[in-house]
Amino acid sequence: MPFHKETFDRIPQEKRDHIFTIAVSEFAQRGYAAASINGIARKAGISIGSMYSYFDSKEDLFLAIVDKGYELLERVFRELSREGSFRQQLLELLHTALRYARQHPDMNNLYLGVMTEELAPLSMRLSSRVEKVSVNYYHHMLQAAVNRGELRADLDIPLAAYLMDNNVLMLQLACSSGYHRYRLQHFVGERAENLEQLANSLCDLIMRCLQ
Amino acid sequence: MPFHKETFDRIPQEKRDHIFTIAVSEFAQRGYAAASINGIARKAGISIGSMYSYFDSKEDLFLAIVDKGYELLERVFRELSREGSFRQQLLELLHTALRYARQHPDMNNLYLGVMTEELAPLSMRLSSRVEKVSVNYYHHMLQAAVNRGELRADLDIPLAAYLMDNNVLMLQLACSSGYHRYRLQHFVGERAENLEQLANSLCDLIMRCLQ
Amino acid sequence: MPFHKETFDRIPQEKRDHIFTIAVSEFAQRGYAAASINGIARKAGISIGSMYSYFDSKEDLFLAIVDKGYELLERVFRELSREGSFRQQLLELLHTALRYARQHPDMNNLYLGVMTEELAPLSMRLSSRVEKVSVNYYHHMLQAAVNRGELRADLDIPLAAYLMDNNVLMLQLACSSGYHRYRLQHFVGERAENLEQLANSLCDLIMRCLQ
Amino acid sequence: MPFHKETFDRIPQEKRDHIFTIAVSEFAQRGYAAASINGIARKAGISIGSMYSYFDSKEDLFLAIVDKGYELLERVFRELSREGSFRQQLLELLHTALRYARQHPDMNNLYLGVMTEELAPLSMRLSSRVEKVSVNYYHHMLQAAVNRGELRADLDIPLAAYLMDNNVLMLQLACSSGYHRYRLQHFVGERAENLEQLANSLCDLIMRCLQ
DNA sequence: TATGAATGAGCCTTCATTCAT
DNA sequence: GATGAATGAAGGCTCATTCAT
């Protein structure tokens, strides 16, 4: 079930983290195909042989780190507050997304690769943990707000969730990805330099759809 | 200025299109790094040498097809109606995006690769033609609607344009990309099977932000 | 017998010379293997097809230009004065060699390639015209000087000729070849900057062996 | 500083020598451009991958073997006797050169390539170790002989060294290189078959310049 | 368990040569 | 005769993976 071998569980946490950090950076910056296991091993200061004693293949190493990223993302979602007004929750979500992207830019960019058709065969080996968690989060958050009368009763909740996530995702990517930052600039000019402020405005705009 | 060599201009249109089709398909499905010029040449039924007499390098071939895709997208944008109510225009935009994605699924998926950090160095060689055209299109469309009183006067036009494009883009990608279709399904379930209908609902939702 | 095809005889002298000049330059600077016929054709402003209508192969083109160089060298030898003292003749030889090397540096460097084992199979297709002419020249010059009593009677003429040619050749190469210039500098320092003066000194030194 | 990778240091001396021998032979016989790493690896009985784990590139492999040749040549120079009459020393030099050329004909021919303009860019990465050693050797040998009164006091030592080396070099090359043997034959006929004897005569001739 | 040398398929690219127009 | 598109063998080099130590 896990993508790493048992040997990997037996090495110090610190070493595990180091390997992951290097691997995330390589995969995120070079892409799956162009990243090299040998290069990751070298940069991580371990031998190729060890690498293959931790992971069966390049594919597994990749899936292991994506999975680890999913775990992290899940935790982030779970730690989001379930209280306060809907607007407050949405604001928290947006700012948390930005904070996550700033703290883990490589991990964030890794998803750009996962979204690619190239990695579709790999993605199929991943559980849809994050999607389930996030969709759930959105649905509950919206439903609760409707119930509280904060949002209109006839709101198309699934679609609203989708719209919200689309915009959160794009803002988050603008933090770490050259292309998405560039795209955002084309739309909002120098306002792209202050993503937190932009998040506030985006919150206002999104709220309108929902009320 | 163009990414192909003059020789490429001199071969029959049909052959050019054939090569492009094959190349788009390979790059879209395998990604830039994993796609191989030799494979493209073989599948296109031409020799490697010919390939290199049309394009200086793998990089140029890639840029040539992305550029061609941009050209197509630009034309699509330019052919969009500038008349009718804002809602009608937004609906047309969404349905046109879906039609484009259905007609050119590989080309559409190619952009997933372009958005990647891996290809940032390549993207820099591309002009931002599409971004400029699309941003312009959105801004004018929104401003005109505000002027006509269809949208509220205090609308944050740049951000609204960004939000609109985000959602159009994601819907469009759900058409062609395995991952994005899958993601959409998580949000809206079986409604993902009728994207046209979903586009209508999305239009309604988006309209609300703006009015 | 000639290394070019009849077609080559039928084009204007000027064009022939142009092709030769470009080819000599390419072969001299890149070496036989690394020089490319396509590149030569392009730089010469003629089509590859024409190139192959003038010469059967890369090998023949190379041999044709080397042969042309031999012809030139032969003419140079034949134009050398047969009169004056031996010292005068040797001086003239040295200075003529320098003049030739300065006027045709690429052609001069071409011989560095011909001397190589790599081109031994090609060299075998060349007549030993130059060797014959030059050896003859040296022998006669020396014999005549011995007969005139300018050089000692027991001189080992063949070996003296060899010694003379060795040194003329090396000085000549120091004119055009980076390596040989550099080697000369190691021996004589900044005197390498005035090869004509050096030739005079070399003449004095050589004379001593012979008298 | 060295042109090989550390991995190369760790394999058995025997294997290292074998690889060098094959590589020297290929480069000497085909020339730098035409020699192929794949071919060398195949003939040496090792994989291409191994070759590239020993040397970073074709260029480095070439430089490594040339450098090794320089090292050998340096040792040869250093082992030459500093005693005996000048004539004896010159004789020893000539015969040592012949012995070296007979023992390492491919290595000897390698220098024909190094002298070429084609390899000028590569040569620049080589130190001028040999040149320095040999020039030093000649200068000291000559100066000492002048001091001892064996050679005339007004001898142009640098130029004399150059003249000596020119002739030693050409004789040495006549041992291993087809072209230079052939050239020598043109000058001295069948005497070219006994290079040792010719060396003796050449010694006599050279001595004359210097006394 | 850790190491890293070894392997070889496969990639991008070049270029001598051919041949239809 | 001139052109230049087409060909494909071959070369330099990379890298996922294996395995002996």
Side-chain angles (χ1 to χ4, degrees), chain D residues 9-199:
Chain D
D9 284 325
R10 291 188 212 111
I11 63 177
Q13 166 91 38
E14 211 171 281
K15 195 173 175 184
R16 280 204 300 267
D17 288 348
H18 181 57
I19 293 171
F20 265 149
T21 306
I22 302 283
V24 169
S25 153
E26 285 290 297
F27 279 122
Q29 282 164 36
R30 295 191 198 275
Y32 176 75
S36 105
I37 288 241
N38 293 37
I40 293 171
R42 189 166 17 80
K43 289 189 188 171
I46 63 175
S47 70
I48 302 165
S50 289
M51 207 79 220
Y52 276 93
S53 79
Y54 301 148
F55 304 94
D56 267 328
S57 62
K58 183 184 185 178
E59 187 169 319
D60 275 7
L61 170 58
F62 182 76
L63 292 174
I65 64 175
V66 174
D67 202 54
K68 169 125 177 162
Y70 277 8
E71 202 182 301
L72 186 59
L73 215 51
E74 246 184 68
R75 197 161 48 242
V76 166
F77 261 105
R78 260 197 279 272
E79 285 171 3
L80 285 172
S81 163
R82 253 78 180 163
E83 299 178 4
S85 70
F86 181 85
R87 159 178 298 267
Q88 283 169 338
Q89 288 182 45
L90 176 52
L91 265 180
E92 184 187 345
L93 177 63
L94 283 161
H95 287 286
T96 301
L98 288 180
R99 201 174 342 109
Y100 171 84
R102 286 201 206 287
Q103 279 173 359
H104 311 282
D106 283 331
M107 191 62 102
N108 206 38
N109 286 340
L110 211 52
Y111 298 118
L112 290 171
V114 174
M115 292 175 185
T116 280
E117 283 302 280
E118 170 193 0
L119 297 191
L122 288 201
S123 301
M124 295 193 52
R125 290 186 53 197
L126 289 165
S127 66
S128 43
R129 347 180 351 178
V130 171
E131 282 82 359
K132 278 175 190 149
V133 169
S134 67
V135 168
N136 246 308
Y137 172 82
Y138 282 113
H139 282 197
H140 278 94
M141 176 187 177
L142 285 162
Q143 186 65 59
V146 168
N147 293 346
R148 287 196 309 269
E150 282 187 60
L151 303 184
R152 61 194 156 89
D154 66 338
L155 181 62
D156 182 343
I157 292 186
L159 203 59
Y162 182 59
L163 180 142
M164 283 170 68
D165 196 45
N166 285 345
N167 293 287
V168 171
L169 180 60
M170 295 311 263
L171 191 70
Q172 187 175 341
L173 286 172
C175 248
S176 56
S177 145
Y179 178 85
H180 288 86
R181 158 75 57 130
Y182 180 77
R183 173 171 172 270
L184 177 58
Q185 276 170 352
H186 266 92
F187 278 102
V188 303
E190 56 189 16
R191 288 165 70 192
E193 281 154 36
N194 188 339
L195 293 181
E196 273 70 16
Q197 200 170 5
L198 208 64

Side-chain angles (χ1 to χ4, degrees), chain B residues 52-82:
Chain B
Y52 275 91
S53 80
Y54 301 148
F55 305 94
D56 267 327
S57 62
K58 183 184 184 177
E59 187 170 318
D60 275 7
L61 170 58
F62 182 75
L63 293 174
I65 65 175
V66 174
D67 203 54
K68 169 122 177 163
Y70 278 7
E71 202 182 302
L72 186 58
L73 217 49
E74 247 183 65
R75 196 160 49 242
V76 167
F77 262 105
R78 260 197 279 274
E79 285 170 4
L80 286 171
S81 163
R82 255 77 180 162

Side-chain angles (χ1 to χ4, degrees), chain A residues 40-53:
Chain A
I40 293 171
R42 187 168 22 79
K43 289 189 187 172
I46 64 173
S47 71
I48 303 167
S50 292
M51 206 81 219
Y52 273 88
S53 79

Side-chain angles (χ1 to χ4, degrees), chain C residues 117 156 166-167 178 191 209, chain D residues 117 156 166-167 178 191 209:
Chain C
E117 282 303 278
D156 182 343
N166 284 345
N167 293 287
R191 289 165 69 193
C209 316
Chain D
E117 283 302 280
D156 182 343
N166 285 345
N167 293 287
R191 288 165 70 192
C209 314

Side-chain angles (χ1 to χ4, degrees), chain C residues 171-184:
Chain C
L171 191 70
Q172 188 175 340
L173 286 172
C175 249
S176 56
S177 145
Y179 179 86
H180 287 87
R181 159 75 58 133
Y182 180 76
R183 174 173 170 269
L184 177 57

